[in-house]
Structure formats: C-alpha cells, structure tokens
Amino acid sequence: MNRPVLVIGNKNYSSWSLRPWLLLRHFGVEFDEVRLPLDASDFAAQALRHSPTGKVPALRDGELAVWDSLAICEYANERWLGGNGWPADLHRRALARAAAAEMHSGFTALRTQLPMNSRRRPDGYGWDAAAQRDIDRVQALWRELRRDHGAGGDFLFGGFGIVDAMFAPVAIRFDGYGVTVDDTAAAYMQALFALPALRQWRQAAEQESERVAATDALCRPA
C-alpha cells in the first residue's frame, strides 16, 4: 500500500506546514514528504499539482487530496490516530477544537508582524499594540487551558494533540522574536521544543539554504 504524501513549504518559514507534519510525525504515522520552497518561481505551479488552492500544506492519500492544515489534522485523526488527536471527553474536546479554530482563523496581527522564522534569534525587534493584544490573548488562553485541563501532561490538555500542533508555530515565533512570556507559557513552550518531532523539524530548518528576504529582513530599527 502506498504511503500518504504530505506536501509542505520550507521548514524554516511555513507555519501551516508544520502543524500537520508535527502531528503525523509525533504519532508515528509513516508518510512521504514533498517540500516546495515558498519563494521558488514555479511554486504555485508545483503546488497546484497537489492542491486545488496552489498552497501548502496538502495531503494525498491515494486518490484523495486534502488541503488546509486543520482539515489534514482532522483527517489524520480519523484515518490513523484512532481519535487520539483530541481529548476523549466531549466538553474538553469541544474546548480544544475552539482553541484550535481560534488559532486557525485569528491572530492576524501576530501572524503578519511576527512571521515564523525558526532560525531567527531575538534582536530587539518590536511590534504594535494589535500584535501585543494577540500575544496577550494567546498567553491568557494557554494559562486557562493548562490550569483547567492540563493535568496529566505538559500540554494544553495534558497529552500532545491537534490543538498543540496548531500552537507550535506560535511558540517558535515567541522564541525567535524574544516575546516576554509568563511562567506558564515558558513551560509550555519548552515542552513543545522538547518533542523529538519538533526538534527534528527545527534541525532541518537550520540546514535549509533558501531565504525569504522579506521575513529575514525584519529586525530591530536602527
């Protein structure tokens, strides 16, 4: 039987690609990887071979093509994870889905002003009040979920799941841009960074030769 194929962008920059990749790798799902550099001149043409949107990530499982990171995670949860990507309890599962959906559709200022760059190191770069509100909301959500539902593990609902995969790129952003975080956020970020799968992703990101100039150019004002 052919293995599924996950089409991703650069590991250094593609936050959307990280989410399903991390989930699949963490749970030991075997898949083949196709990496398409985001700034390649033929990126859209190559991506359209795998996804009707011409974007990444995309998953191919036989004749089926699934696009969008959260949709891929949901499909993987049903196809390979036996439902273990979400909490077993109905109410906790609903809250985990709400948090994942908030990340999936919100935090526009954070995404725009602090784009994922896994190789980045803090340099005093700043952001505006809208991005700070997003940062504050993320940390408030992490505090609430860890306090009320995090018993039994180091992640938002105890064990690692889809909701944590959705927030993993945010942890990389906070780390790379030097965001001041509270103790709960710091401990949660360290738990994410300790995952073997996330370490593997970030090590590969360090080795990539491609550069996205606009993202790399973000720095502290002179």
Side-chain angles (χ1 to χ4, degrees):
M1 182 179 295
N2 292 333
R3 303 200 304 183
V5 176
L6 184 66
V7 184
I8 63 172
N10 307 64
K11 287 188 169 75
N12 190 60
Y13 304 106
S14 185
S15 60
W16 295 109
S17 298
L18 168 57
R19 292 168 168 123
W21 189 99
L22 179 60
L23 185 77
L24 292 171
R25 189 70 77 200
H26 176 81
F27 280 97
V29 178
E30 294 188 355
F31 63 94
D32 293 325
E33 175 186 311
V34 174
R35 191 181 70 91
L36 304 178
L38 298 173
D39 60 343
S41 59
D42 62 345
F43 170 81
Q46 292 295 322
L48 281 169
R49 296 173 55 197
H50 305 280
S51 167
T53 65
K55 298 178 181 179
V56 292
L59 178 77
R60 296 201 68 93
D61 185 21
E63 296 299 315
L64 176 67
V66 184
W67 61 97
D68 181 273
S69 60
L70 186 54
I72 295 169
C73 289
E74 289 279 18
Y75 177 74
N77 186 53
E78 297 182 12
R79 178 76 164 87
W80 297 293
L81 308 188
N84 290 318
W86 295 116
D89 175 76
L90 174 64
H91 290 181
R92 295 174 75 241
R93 188 163 65 250
L95 291 173
R97 281 197 164 107
E102 182 178 358
M103 181 66 253
H104 186 261
S105 63
F107 304 112
T108 302
L110 171 61
R111 297 178 195 280
T112 302
Q113 297 179 46
L114 287 75
M116 193 174 93
N117 185 346
S118 186
R119 291 189 294 258
R120 198 182 198 286
R121 300 296 179 266
D123 61 1
Y125 169 78
W127 46 86
D128 69 14
Q132 187 61 48
R133 285 193 294 271
D134 284 352
I135 290 167
D136 294 343
R137 169 57 188 159
V138 167
Q139 293 193 70
L141 182 59
W142 289 355
R143 285 195 302 272
E144 177 184 343
L145 296 179
R146 286 290 301 145
R147 181 193 67 221
D148 296 341
H149 305 287
D154 296 324
F155 299 98
L156 296 180
F157 288 82
F160 179 84
I162 292 172
V163 65
D164 303 294
M166 294 300 294
F167 279 105
V170 177
I172 292 175
R173 286 177 162 99
F174 285 3
D175 183 52
Y177 289 91
V179 173
T180 300
V181 298
D182 61 28
D183 290 345
T184 298
Y188 177 54
M189 289 165 58
Q190 288 309 306
L192 288 168
F193 295 151
L195 289 171
L198 189 52
R199 290 204 305 268
Q200 181 183 357
W201 175 280
R202 299 195 78 184
Q203 288 166 1
E206 290 285 343
Q207 301 303 314
E208 288 180 337
S209 60
E210 302 92 356
R211 296 290 187 270
V212 175
T215 299
D216 284 347
L218 294 175
C219 62
R220 178 175 57 85

